[in-house]
Amino acid sequence: MKLHGTMSVKNRNLYIGGVKCEKIVKKYSTPLYIFDETLIRQNCREYVNYFKVKENNNKVAYAGKAFLPMYMCKLIKEENLYLDVVSGGELYTAYKSQFSMKNILFHGNNKTINEIEMGIKLGVGIFVVDNFYELDLIEEVCKRYNTTQDIYFRITPGIEAHTHEYIKTGQIDSKFGFALTNGDLYEALEKVKVYKNIKLIGLHAHIGSQIFEVDPYMDAVDIMMNLVKKIKENYNIQIEEIDLGGGIGVYYTKHDKPKTIKEFCESIINRVEKSCKKLKINKPILIIEPGRSIVANAGSTLYTIGSIKDIKDIRTYVSVDGGMTDNIRPSLYQAGYECGVINKIGLDKINQVTVAGKCCESGDILITDTDIMEIQSGDILITTSTGAYGYSMSSNYNKIPKPAVVFVKDGKSKLICKRQSYKDLISLEL
């Protein structure tokens, strides 16, 4: 099990943020999400530094879908990041946390009328327009409120990135964005020239998630910069900002070889400079939208081991008090994880087990055939790198309450999301 951020081991006991994990479990129980606040802030600062936010007026927008309690909104505000939201709920969370609405980019392939009205009334900085339906709605709502809205067009650049089928987004066959091959983008450009309440200032492309190669991003940069030139020449519209999305891959298991934030950012910056020089155009303001690479390795999940079922010559199932309700990724797209027992770190791995969840589903498996030290019922298991899409995709399937979320830093722990109670579970039922 790889140690991330402020994780450390003393006398085989695991510490995060200077806090002993056994102590955290005694205070907050399991299952429990635990986040290394120092690592999150460090990742934010590396993005701001290496993406040349201060030097070039570029922007780093945190992708809220990865993990967005109110405390996270406050943290990224303190670290001078923008915020990318994809729903009215995420927007409302940001609003209630007093995040600046002007620093929000509102994404989504099917924003509802209510969400569009909410965004316009709250003063959202940028709507990332995904389709003609949304374009017409924004113009209509802006007319009603006598206001003008800045927008980006989301395009599908036709780039196939090597990642899981469910998290590809840049290929032509996608539910997202205006395609380049069928003329949709150019029809949208004609429309926006006529509309009085919309100002097109940027383009957005997102090629997928958990991508380890840099080459697809280089292709995206070239496509986008060529578009900037073409749109200026053919439509007399100056594209001031280019949003290249997120998607940088992170470490989950020993098979993953991610680029550093520095390598990723510098590759993009250098390619943009080269492309703009070749095309003889001014460099636009650049935006990237990291989510997973800010929070994934900073988050872990703690479980209590319950039943252990040894099927001779086949498999040993180790069941925990959580599962697909707090981490759907293994069941959804076969995501891999590493694990360990928090007070036995460093001991020889003498068992191969499959870590199973408690849901009434055969597919509720967190890790298949992993090597682990000696274990017994009552041990506390940790799965690492669960910070992205664990809590945000959690559910109440089987009417299982959602776990609490704790941040740790400098030897102290802070509860940022309460554990759901059974009373909470039925609070909306009549």
Side-chain angles (χ1 to χ4, degrees):
M1 185 184 82
K2 183 176 179 179
L3 302 183
H4 301 281
T6 64
M7 283 184 170
S8 62
V9 179
K10 298 175 187 176
N11 299 322
R12 299 205 170 99
N13 283 280
L14 184 64
Y15 289 70
I16 305 176
V19 185
K20 191 176 182 180
C21 284
E22 282 187 338
K23 183 178 178 182
I24 296 170
V25 169
K26 285 178 182 177
K27 185 172 183 179
Y28 299 105
S29 189
T30 62
L32 181 71
Y33 298 106
I34 178 170
F35 282 80
D36 179 351
E37 183 170 340
T38 298
L39 181 54
I40 293 176
R41 291 185 183 273
Q42 177 185 315
N43 290 337
C44 290
R45 290 167 191 175
E46 286 193 19
Y47 269 112
V48 169
N49 181 26
Y50 294 118
F51 205 63
K52 295 191 175 180
V53 167
K54 293 176 182 175
E55 301 95 321
N56 295 359
N57 291 320
N58 292 335
K59 303 172 186 176
V60 177
Y62 171 67
K65 67 177 184 174
F67 174 70
L68 198 68
M70 290 174 64
Y71 187 77
M72 190 65 193
C73 291
K74 293 179 179 180
L75 186 154
I76 63 168
K77 179 181 178 181
E78 290 170 4
E79 297 299 334
N80 301 308
L81 268 61
Y82 282 62
L83 175 62
D84 142 15
V85 303
V86 295
S87 71
E90 288 185 357
L91 178 58
Y92 184 74
T93 301
Y95 170 68
K96 294 301 285 185
S97 69
Q98 299 183 322
F99 194 88
S100 171
M101 294 292 106
K102 287 296 179 187
N103 291 346
I104 285 182
L105 293 81
F106 198 166
H107 288 262
N109 70 299
N110 190 30
K111 303 177 189 71
T112 66
I113 296 173
N114 287 341
E115 286 175 328
I116 288 171
E117 286 188 343
M118 178 183 177
I120 289 170
K121 283 196 285 186
L122 289 178
V124 161
I126 301 291
F127 271 82
V128 183
V129 176
D130 206 277
N131 49 63
F132 294 109
Y133 171 75
E134 180 186 345
L135 185 64
D136 295 342
L137 274 178
I138 292 174
E139 173 70 6
E140 179 187 313
V141 174
C142 283
K143 270 185 185 176
R144 208 182 322 139
Y145 289 101
N146 192 29
T147 189
T148 302
Q149 179 64 53
D150 288 343
I151 67 165
Y152 297 164
F153 278 153
R154 176 165 182 166
I155 66 165
T156 48
I159 294 171
E160 289 277 354
H162 295 133
T163 186
H164 193 281
E165 199 66 36
Y166 291 2
I167 49 181
K168 288 181 180 178
T169 56
Q171 72 278 13
I172 293 301
D173 184 6
S174 171
K175 73 174 187 176
F176 297 105
F178 295 97
L180 296 180
T181 55
N182 62 4
D184 278 359
L185 175 63
Y186 306 111
E187 186 181 339
L189 287 166
E190 293 288 359
K191 269 197 163 192
V192 85
K193 284 187 73 174
V194 176
Y195 283 162
K196 305 294 184 188
N197 296 81
I198 287 177
K199 184 182 180 185
L200 175 65
I201 67 168
L203 300 176
H204 169 275
H206 183 73
I207 59 175
S209 297
Q210 191 59 357
I211 299 168
F212 294 113
E213 307 99 331
V214 170
D215 287 348
Y217 289 99
M218 302 303 96
D219 293 340
V221 165
D222 291 345
I223 289 170
M224 299 294 265
M225 296 309 145
N226 274 284
L227 270 177
V228 170
K229 183 173 183 177
K230 189 174 182 179
I231 290 170
K232 177 61 177 175
E233 290 176 348
N234 296 346
Y235 298 90
N236 197 30
I237 297 173
Q238 183 63 54
I239 299 299
E240 302 165 8
E241 304 186 358
I242 290 292
D243 186 338
L244 295 163
I248 176 175
V250 303
Y251 182 99
Y252 284 103
T253 71
K254 62 184 179 182
H255 304 293
D256 298 325
K257 310 295 181 188
K259 295 283 188 293
T260 64
I261 292 171
K262 182 176 186 285
E263 290 171 325
F264 176 70
C265 292
E266 287 182 348
S267 297
I268 290 176
I269 297 290
N270 293 338
R271 187 60 167 237
V272 168
E273 289 179 355
K274 182 179 178 182
S275 186
C276 289
K277 189 174 181 180
K278 180 182 177 182
L279 294 167
K280 297 179 180 177
I281 61 174
N282 293 328
K283 279 189 302 183
I285 291 171
L286 301 176
I287 300 95
I288 49 170
E289 300 172 336
R292 185 195 311 267
S293 54
I294 286 179
V295 293
N297 295 149
S300 301
T301 311
L302 298 172
Y303 302 102
T304 300
I305 294 172
S307 67
I308 299 175
K309 179 181 180 180
D310 184 21
I311 306 174
K312 187 174 173 56
D313 298 326
I314 298 179
R315 178 173 282 122
T316 299
Y317 286 96
V318 172
S319 294
V320 297
D321 56 351
M324 64 189 295
T325 49
D326 57 76
N327 189 359
I328 190 65
R329 295 184 69 252
S331 299
L332 187 61
Y333 32 72
Q334 298 80 53
Y337 287 90
E338 294 179 340
C339 66
V341 177
I342 64 169
N343 64 343
K344 299 177 182 179
I345 304 297
L347 290 178
D348 291 340
K349 295 180 177 180
I350 60 173
N351 296 308
Q352 186 177 85
V353 304
T354 288
V355 181
K358 71 189 299 293
C359 290
C360 194
E361 290 287 339
S362 296
D364 182 19
I365 302 295
L366 290 173
I367 310 176
T368 302
D369 294 337
T370 186
D371 294 328
I372 199 166
M373 58 283 293
E374 184 180 349
I375 51 172
Q376 59 189 29
S377 299
D379 278 345
I380 304 300
L381 186 86
I382 184 168
T383 56
T384 51
S385 298
T386 61
Y389 305 106
Y391 187 76
S392 65
M393 295 177 81
S394 62
S395 75
N396 290 130
Y397 183 53
N398 287 175
K399 290 225 164 177
I400 294 172
K402 293 183 182 182
V405 182
V406 170
F407 271 46
V408 290
K409 182 174 179 278
D410 299 333
K412 296 179 181 178
S413 63
K414 179 186 297 183
L415 181 68
I416 69 153
C417 295
K418 296 178 182 178
R419 183 180 304 280
Q420 271 190 323
S421 66
Y422 291 134
K423 187 176 180 181
D424 294 329
L425 273 178
I426 62 170
S427 62
L428 301 178
E429 299 179 13
L430 303 174

